Amino acid sequence: MNNQQSVAEAFIKYQTEKIRQYKADPSVPSFQLNNAEMELAQALQRKAKIQPTGGTRTSSNVILKVPKGTRDFHPAQMRLRSEVLNKITNIFKLHGAHQIDTPVFELKEILTGKYGDDSKLIYDLKDQGGEILSLRYDLTVPFARYVAMNKISSIKRYQIAKVYRRDNPAIARGRYREFYQCDFDVAGQYESMIPDAEIVKLLDEILSCLDIGKYVIKINHRKILDGIFQVAGVDPELFRGVSSSIDKLDKSPWEEVAAELETLRGLNKKQIGTIAMFVQISGSLSKVLNILMTNYEIMACSLAKEGIDDMMLLINYVKALGIPDSRVLFDLSLARGLDYYTGVIYEAIVESTTESEAIAVGSIAGGGRYDNLVGMFDANNRKVPCVGISIGVERIFSLLEQRKDSSLKPYDVEVYVASAQKDMVGHRLRLASLLWDAKLKAELSYKPNPKLLQQLQYCEETNIPWVIVIGQDEVARKVVKLRNVQSRAEVEVSESDIVSELKQRLAGAVLPSAVNN
Amino acid sequence: MNNQQSVAEAFIKYQTEKIRQYKADPSVPSFQLNNAEMELAQALQRKAKIQPTGGTRTSSNVILKVPKGTRDFHPAQMRLRSEVLNKITNIFKLHGAHQIDTPVFELKEILTGKYGDDSKLIYDLKDQGGEILSLRYDLTVPFARYVAMNKISSIKRYQIAKVYRRDNPAIARGRYREFYQCDFDVAGQYESMIPDAEIVKLLDEILSCLDIGKYVIKINHRKILDGIFQVAGVDPELFRGVSSSIDKLDKSPWEEVAAELETLRGLNKKQIGTIAMFVQISGSLSKVLNILMTNYEIMACSLAKEGIDDMMLLINYVKALGIPDSRVLFDLSLARGLDYYTGVIYEAIVESTTESEAIAVGSIAGGGRYDNLVGMFDANNRKVPCVGISIGVERIFSLLEQRKDSSLKPYDVEVYVASAQKDMVGHRLRLASLLWDAKLKAELSYKPNPKLLQQLQYCEETNIPWVIVIGQDEVARKVVKLRNVQSRAEVEVSESDIVSELKQRLAGAVLPSAVNN
């Protein structure tokens, strides 16, 4: 017997004895006995639920599980998920973004050659005759396909949808094979860094409203990174590979990355030394810009210079937008894995507050500018420059689930229709119908002759604040008893007034759930 | 040149001449000239958009299309879709349902043997090592798997998600290979017909609130249908096959179905004759029940009698719920294709109001009782009876898109930050940031030095009701010009008051979009 079980046993023993005493004592009022019995019944039910669960097979010997790296979302989780997605959606809309949706799969060739090494993680569909399809790997490539196919020259869009990667799942860190991405992108020919700055603002708004603790938005620029490689004397053909190695710095120490640069990428010690010097630099936008601008070799490199010019604009815009210095970090080691970025790149990091969270957190958003992707889909190579950000909400869910009270009740039914006697189904249905038509959230027992005690118990357990109780007498007089579940106080209300009465009480009352939490 | 183009040409010619005259006449005020120029610019832009579109290939010779039977959702469509799904969700919640979500794919063996002939329409994933997976075909089988796997004994849940069928697409009828289903199901051991009746009520609420015109909810009972087959002397092993043929009666005439019963199912003329007599019967619940109850053979058949007892309860409950007789049809020809139904079955039909709609409409919801499906997934064959309904919203979208004004504008930005002079980016960003932080939906031009005319034009085109206009003078005096886009009236407001001023005007004002529609 585990601890939970023994506590439950002890309470049941205590409560049983109390009821025996109440019954023996004629001075105890009947409502007190009723309440004690209700509490006992609840305890018995709770005890019944304390049972270990495990894997199982069905009667036809099928293993009963969800596919590797995926999960079901239970009602309480769905509530948290909707809450988070709604907050994000509202901020996307503040910035005037339009929502679009694309199919969960694309022609395989649309995805081919867009993800570099990660292409091996794409889920393919079986060839069942007809087109060869793959599940989407992100929302960026389908968006670029959408812009090219619909000949759109400018759009600010958001899309919230699941993407699929045959990666090694790490559930505790919130890494799944099926997961939501929330993407915001600005497509269009703009000679400025204004949309690039707006995205920093948008990200700051989202992260601050999600209440996930301290965070920092890392920024870098692909042209500055490539400029550094050029200054270090690296062959331009190796730039993306070197970038890919540098990208591992958030998980691996410099020594490992340096070893990979030497053995896998073929760089010499001097080249690695130069890169090492630069990628250690991080700090406020102005601090890092100052360091770069006093470096003669960097300023002589036209590629790096273009990136620096962009960052000069960005620093002014980020200031005008009122984003505090402490939440933005110019980090020359930020590289981002994907090939298609061409300008500014972003990554948001949540700082852990406890040791167990240190595992769960890390990067929760990433993005950047990709000016050539749409052109790859256009017959005339017509370019539509884009910049965007993708919020990886799965890690945010994991974080909030760890931090939040796990007893979060998913119910918000407002009123329950109960009967105190038998053969009242028709009247219960009639009253429930009245409530539904008035847009009140209502439930009733599905049993033909439920016991009143069980009905009231259900309301207490599920935090339903009000119960309408009827019997033959009430039906004959066209009234109902309106009972407050928490206080157990009852008033009689006429059937014709019950909707307005309930609406008033629901609007004004402090609900039991609000009091308990 | 098509008609649209020639109209555009004519207007541009007229407007150009008008501007020429205005310019020549010194008595014409400058705002009049400005407005005329704005209208010309808009006309030129509209003309540029009138172009035929067609299929295309990308620069790398990839065909640019979405997979067969799927579609992208554009912003205006997404707005309609959210509207419909929100209405449905709100009604699910009225009835106290919990939302869950399941992965888009399941282990293939979970889906095996659940859909009869339709199994051939399941999308399989490629075997890339590891588990063998298939895309979900509906939400019912994953729900049964969920209930069994989590050892749930009772739940009222809803799920809104896309399902996948390699069917022959019929886009005009709203039949896609990727489409949304909105499912509501009640799982649990209830000896009554109360949840079965609640589903009729729920369906009635949803269909009436969606504003899709006249509809009817067809009801039948699998046990009555099987009773009819028994009375006709059909071998019980043929029941599901015969049912499957009867199911085609909504699309095919009786003669075709009769031929299929004879040739494919092997029934004789007498058996077919008996079935023919019954499946022609439809009408109100009471009318059809009366016909059945006066039939000696049916009443002598215990299977049919069980179904009739259920329907007797249902008729009382539907009456108590106040659902009008005219919207419920007891139709003995209703069979439903899927094997797993065991009791009452439902189907909702929208009646067409025009000839073109006659193609688009038809069945928009279907469901029924399935008491054995969860048991198939349980190691001990523990049964959890279920009853549910699935709303096929794709057809509802098609119907509403056909009926609605296609010019539905997807924008709801509340205020635009414009500048009247050059070099104002920082100030535009500062003001936009002020608005976003106050949760006002705001946009600004991404060009460093946009022309005022173009900024105002954009607001007119996209129905943004308010513009803040700033210049060096306004910035120096810490004020802004607040312009009503529709009336073109301007007032000066101090920067510190602009948020409260806008919130008041937005709360009270009739927006241009509301006036135009």
Side-chain angles (χ1 to χ4, degrees):
Chain A
M1 195 191 287
N2 64 28
N3 185 46
Q4 241 189 325
Q5 279 170 311
S6 59
V7 170
E9 287 285 359
F11 179 79
I12 288 162
K13 202 171 157 191
Y14 160 80
Q15 195 72 4
T16 310
E17 172 59 20
K18 192 164 81 177
I19 290 167
R20 199 195 55 74
Q21 286 171 8
Y22 283 177
K23 281 184 178 165
D25 182 353
S27 76
V28 170
S30 66
F31 79 87
Q32 201 171 331
L33 176 61
N34 281 344
N35 289 346
E37 284 180 331
M38 195 187 296
E39 280 163 18
L40 174 62
Q42 286 172 350
L44 285 167
Q45 245 186 27
R46 277 197 305 273
K47 191 196 150 209
K49 281 184 189 158
I50 306 168
Q51 270 173 15
T53 56
T56 178
R57 282 178 175 266
T58 72
S59 42
S60 48
N61 208 28
V62 169
I63 297 174
L64 204 55
K65 68 182 290 290
V66 291
K68 185 178 173 185
T70 69
R71 58 173 164 173
D72 291 325
F73 276 87
H74 303 287
Q77 292 173 306
M78 285 303 284
R79 181 161 280 218
L80 178 66
R81 189 172 102 175
S82 310
E83 217 177 86
V84 169
L85 296 182
N86 274 340
K87 282 182 182 172
I88 293 174
T89 303
N90 286 338
I91 292 173
F92 287 165
K93 284 183 180 168
L94 270 190
H95 290 259
H98 304 272
Q99 192 178 12
I100 70 156
D101 193 23
T102 60
V104 77
F105 38 58
E106 296 277 344
L107 299 186
K108 186 176 168 59
E109 53 183 14
I110 295 281
L111 306 189
T112 302
K114 306 298 185 303
Y115 302 105
D117 284 355
D118 286 348
S119 293
K120 64 179 186 294
L121 302 180
I122 293 174
Y123 276 98
D124 291 329
L125 270 76
K126 192 171 154 181
D127 180 3
Q128 292 171 288
E131 298 160 338
I132 303 299
L133 307 174
S134 298
L135 297 186
R136 61 183 164 213
Y137 179 85
D138 64 9
L139 302 177
T140 310
V141 170
F143 171 60
R145 191 267 306 146
Y146 174 87
V147 170
M149 189 173 128
N150 293 289
K151 298 184 192 304
I152 292 165
S153 59
S154 77
I155 187 172
K156 185 156 50 179
R157 85 89 176 77
Y158 74 95
Q159 183 173 5
I160 296 180
K162 287 177 181 172
V163 301
Y164 298 88
R165 298 182 185 179
R166 296 181 64 255
D167 209 342
N168 244 347
I171 309 300
R173 300 189 50 171
R175 190 165 75 214
Y176 291 89
R177 288 182 158 197
E178 173 185 57
F179 59 97
Y180 264 98
Q181 284 195 337
C182 304
D183 278 29
F184 174 97
D185 292 81
V186 178
Q189 188 73 56
Y190 306 109
E191 58 272 55
S192 71
M193 289 288 287
I194 306 178
D196 311 61
E198 182 175 4
I199 282 175
V200 181
K201 171 70 180 156
L202 173 105
L203 197 51
D204 189 49
E205 287 173 34
I206 289 174
L207 296 177
S208 72
C209 97
L210 284 178
D211 200 22
I212 42 170
K214 271 186 81 176
Y215 58 87
V216 64
I217 301 168
K218 292 187 184 180
I219 306 184
N220 197 3
H221 198 293
R222 268 281 162 93
K223 287 183 182 168
I224 295 177
L225 205 57
D226 287 356
I228 292 168
F229 302 154
Q230 197 171 312
V231 166
V234 176
D235 180 345
E237 293 212 343
L238 298 176
F239 282 5
R240 291 285 65 77
V242 171
S243 224
S244 202
S245 299
I246 301 287
D247 187 47
K248 293 174 185 160
L249 273 179
D250 60 339
K251 288 166 204 138
S252 315
W254 169 251
E255 290 67 30
E256 270 178 42
V257 171
E260 183 174 312
L261 287 176
E262 189 169 0
T263 55
L264 188 66
R265 311 295 174 190
L267 269 53
N268 62 39
K269 295 267 188 230
K270 184 160 175 288
Q271 291 171 330
I272 295 171
T274 306
I275 292 172
M277 192 188 73
F278 281 106
V279 297
Q280 282 169 42
I281 300 169
S282 76
S284 69
L285 288 171
S286 55
K287 181 190 149 193
V288 176
L289 264 179
N290 280 337
I291 295 174
L292 289 172
M293 288 169 76
T294 51
N295 183 300
Y296 168 78
E297 284 182 299
I298 286 289
M299 293 308 280
C301 165
S302 65
L303 196 60
K305 186 62 175 46
E306 281 176 34
I308 286 169
D309 289 345
D310 278 355
M311 293 304 278
M312 299 266 289
L313 284 174
L314 192 73
I315 193 174
N316 286 327
Y317 297 167
V318 162
K319 202 171 190 173
L321 287 163
I323 305 163
D325 267 2
S326 61
R327 297 211 289 262
V328 178
L329 188 76
F330 192 167
D331 183 346
L332 292 183
S333 76
L334 177 66
R336 303 286 308 151
L338 297 173
D339 282 0
Y340 50 63
Y341 294 118
T342 55
V344 64
I345 46 182
Y346 317 94
E347 192 166 286
I349 309 283
V350 172
E351 292 174 11
S352 57
T353 55
T354 67
E355 202 169 321
S356 77
E357 275 179 23
I359 309 161
V361 296
S363 163
I364 52 164
R369 175 164 284 284
Y370 49 103
D371 286 348
N372 303 326
L373 195 57
V374 174
M376 290 170 73
F377 291 117
D378 191 86
N380 307 314
N381 204 16
R382 179 189 62 110
K383 283 190 185 176
V384 181
C386 298
V387 61
I389 189 82
S390 179
I391 322 275
V393 283
E394 235 65 41
R395 291 189 178 177
I396 295 171
F397 299 152
S398 293
L399 208 61
L400 293 177
E401 275 177 11
Q402 277 181 51
R403 289 188 192 171
K404 274 216 177 171
D405 182 5
S406 62
S407 67
L408 185 69
K409 292 249 168 58
Y411 254 75
D412 58 358
V413 168
E414 294 160 326
V415 51
Y416 193 88
V417 182
S419 59
Q421 289 159 327
K422 286 192 168 190
D423 300 326
M424 304 289 290
V425 182
H427 292 292
R428 284 192 289 131
L429 285 171
R430 181 173 54 80
L431 284 167
S433 181
L434 190 77
L435 299 170
W436 290 324
D437 289 344
K439 304 294 174 207
L440 286 163
K441 298 194 182 87
E443 277 195 318
L444 73 167
S445 168
Y446 288 145
K447 293 185 178 167
N449 293 307
K451 295 211 172 77
L452 183 58
L453 185 70
Q454 285 176 341
Q455 295 172 82
L456 298 177
Q457 221 172 288
Y458 176 83
C459 297
E460 293 207 352
E461 282 165 7
T462 56
N463 272 346
I464 300 177
W466 297 99
V467 193
I468 286 174
V469 186
I470 51 166
Q472 298 295 357
D473 174 55
E474 282 79 14
V475 168
R477 295 190 294 119
K478 292 194 195 314
V479 295
V480 300
K481 273 192 206 144
L482 179 59
R483 179 182 166 113
N484 182 306
V485 175
Q486 202 186 16
S487 72
R488 293 172 182 173
E490 289 182 355
V491 287
E492 197 170 279
V493 180
S494 86
E495 274 189 12
S496 56
D497 291 339
I498 188 63
V499 164
S500 60
E501 184 70 31
L502 267 167
K503 286 197 168 172
Q504 270 176 32
R505 286 171 185 255
L506 284 164
V510 177
L511 302 187
S513 60
V515 174
N516 288 344
N517 292 348
Chain B
M1 197 189 288
N2 65 27
N3 186 45
Q4 242 189 325
Q5 279 170 311
S6 58
V7 170
E9 287 286 1
F11 178 79
I12 288 162
K13 202 170 159 192
Y14 161 80
Q15 194 70 7
T16 310
E17 173 58 20
K18 193 163 82 178
I19 289 168
R20 200 193 54 74
Q21 285 172 11
Y22 282 178
K23 282 186 176 164
D25 182 351
S27 76
V28 170
S30 67
F31 80 88
Q32 201 171 331
L33 176 61
N34 281 343
N35 289 346
E37 283 179 332
M38 194 188 298
E39 280 163 19
L40 174 61
Q42 287 171 350
L44 285 167
Q45 243 185 27
R46 276 197 304 275
K47 191 197 152 209
K49 282 187 187 156
I50 305 168
Q51 269 174 15
T53 56
T56 178
R57 279 175 178 269
T58 72
S59 42
S60 50
N61 209 29
V62 170
I63 297 173
L64 205 56
K65 68 183 288 291
V66 291
K68 186 177 174 186
T70 69
R71 58 171 163 171
D72 291 325
F73 276 87
H74 302 286
Q77 291 173 307
M78 284 303 284
R79 182 163 278 220
L80 178 65
R81 189 171 103 175
S82 309
E83 215 177 87
V84 169
L85 296 183
N86 273 341
K87 282 183 181 173
I88 294 173
T89 303
N90 286 339
I91 292 172
F92 287 164
K93 284 184 181 169
L94 269 191
H95 289 259
H98 304 271
Q99 192 178 11
I100 69 156
D101 193 23
T102 60
V104 78
F105 38 57
E106 296 275 345
L107 299 185
K108 184 175 168 60
E109 55 182 14
I110 295 281
L111 306 188
T112 302
K114 308 297 185 303
Y115 302 105
D117 285 354
D118 286 348
S119 294
K120 64 178 184 295
L121 304 180
I122 293 175
Y123 276 98
D124 292 328
L125 269 77
K126 192 170 156 184
D127 180 1
Q128 293 170 285
E131 298 162 337
I132 303 298
L133 308 173
S134 299
L135 296 187
R136 62 183 163 214
Y137 179 85
D138 64 9
L139 302 178
T140 311
V141 171
F143 172 61
R145 191 266 307 147
Y146 174 87
V147 170
M149 190 174 128
N150 294 289
K151 299 183 192 304
I152 293 166
S153 58
S154 77
I155 187 173
K156 185 156 50 178
R157 85 88 176 77
Y158 74 94
Q159 184 173 3
I160 296 181
K162 287 178 179 171
V163 301
Y164 297 88
R165 298 183 185 179
R166 296 182 64 253
D167 210 343
N168 245 345
I171 309 300
R173 300 187 51 172
R175 190 166 74 215
Y176 292 88
R177 289 181 158 198
E178 172 184 58
F179 58 98
Y180 264 98
Q181 283 195 337
C182 304
D183 278 30
F184 175 97
D185 292 81
V186 179
Q189 188 73 56
Y190 307 108
E191 59 273 54
S192 72
M193 288 290 286
I194 305 177
D196 311 60
E198 181 175 2
I199 281 175
V200 182
K201 171 70 180 157
L202 173 104
L203 197 50
D204 189 49
E205 287 172 35
I206 288 174
L207 296 176
S208 71
C209 96
L210 285 179
D211 199 23
I212 43 171
K214 270 186 81 175
Y215 58 88
V216 63
I217 300 168
K218 291 188 184 179
I219 307 185
N220 198 4
H221 198 294
R222 268 281 162 94
K223 287 183 181 169
I224 295 177
L225 204 58
D226 288 355
I228 291 168
F229 302 154
Q230 197 171 313
V231 166
V234 176
D235 180 345
E237 294 210 342
L238 298 176
F239 282 6
R240 291 284 66 77
V242 172
S243 224
S244 200
S245 300
I246 302 287
D247 186 47
K248 295 176 183 159
L249 273 178
D250 59 338
K251 288 166 206 142
S252 315
W254 170 251
E255 291 68 30
E256 269 177 43
V257 172
E260 183 173 312
L261 288 176
E262 191 170 359
T263 55
L264 187 66
R265 312 295 174 189
L267 269 52
N268 63 39
K269 294 267 189 229
K270 184 160 174 289
Q271 290 171 330
I272 295 171
T274 307
I275 292 172
M277 193 188 72
F278 281 105
V279 298
Q280 283 169 43
I281 300 168
S282 75
S284 69
L285 288 169
S286 57
K287 181 189 149 192
V288 176
L289 264 179
N290 280 337
I291 295 174
L292 290 172
M293 289 169 76
T294 52
N295 183 299
Y296 168 78
E297 285 182 297
I298 286 289
M299 294 308 279
C301 165
S302 64
L303 197 60
K305 185 60 175 46
E306 282 175 35
I308 287 169
D309 289 344
D310 277 354
M311 294 303 278
M312 299 267 289
L313 284 174
L314 192 72
I315 193 174
N316 287 326
Y317 297 166
V318 163
K319 202 171 189 172
L321 287 164
I323 305 162
D325 268 2
S326 60
R327 298 211 288 261
V328 178
L329 189 76
F330 192 167
D331 183 345
L332 291 183
S333 76
L334 177 65
R336 303 287 306 154
L338 297 173
D339 281 2
Y340 49 64
Y341 293 119
T342 55
V344 63
I345 47 182
Y346 318 93
E347 191 167 286
I349 309 282
V350 172
E351 292 174 11
S352 57
T353 55
T354 68
E355 202 168 319
S356 77
E357 274 179 22
I359 310 161
V361 295
S363 163
I364 51 162
R369 176 164 283 284
Y370 50 103
D371 285 349
N372 303 328
L373 194 56
V374 174
M376 291 169 75
F377 290 118
D378 191 87
N380 308 313
N381 204 16
R382 177 190 63 110
K383 283 188 185 178
V384 181
C386 298
V387 61
I389 189 82
S390 179
I391 322 275
V393 283
E394 235 65 41
R395 289 188 179 178
I396 295 170
F397 299 151
S398 293
L399 208 62
L400 293 178
E401 275 177 9
Q402 277 181 51
R403 289 188 192 170
K404 275 217 176 169
D405 182 4
S406 62
S407 68
L408 184 69
K409 291 247 169 58
Y411 253 75
D412 58 359
V413 168
E414 294 161 325
V415 52
Y416 193 87
V417 181
S419 58
Q421 289 157 326
K422 285 194 168 185
D423 300 325
M424 303 290 289
V425 182
H427 292 293
R428 284 193 289 130
L429 285 170
R430 182 173 55 80
L431 285 167
S433 181
L434 189 77
L435 300 169
W436 289 325
D437 289 343
K439 303 294 170 206
L440 286 164
K441 298 194 182 84
E443 276 195 320
L444 75 166
S445 169
Y446 288 145
K447 293 186 178 165
N449 293 308
K451 295 210 172 82
L452 182 59
L453 185 71
Q454 284 176 342
Q455 295 172 82
L456 298 177
Q457 220 172 288
Y458 176 83
C459 296
E460 292 207 354
E461 282 165 7
T462 55
N463 272 346
I464 300 177
W466 298 98
V467 193
I468 286 175
V469 186
I470 50 166
Q472 297 296 358
D473 175 53
E474 282 78 14
V475 168
R477 294 191 296 119
K478 292 192 195 312
V479 296
V480 300
K481 273 192 206 145
L482 179 60
R483 178 181 168 115
N484 182 306
V485 174
Q486 201 184 17
S487 72
R488 294 173 181 173
E490 289 182 355
V491 287
E492 196 170 278
V493 180
S494 85
E495 274 189 12
S496 55
D497 291 340
I498 188 64
V499 165
S500 61
E501 184 69 31
L502 267 167
K503 285 197 169 173
Q504 270 177 32
R505 285 171 186 255
L506 285 163
V510 176
L511 302 187
S513 61
V515 173
N516 289 344
N517 290 348

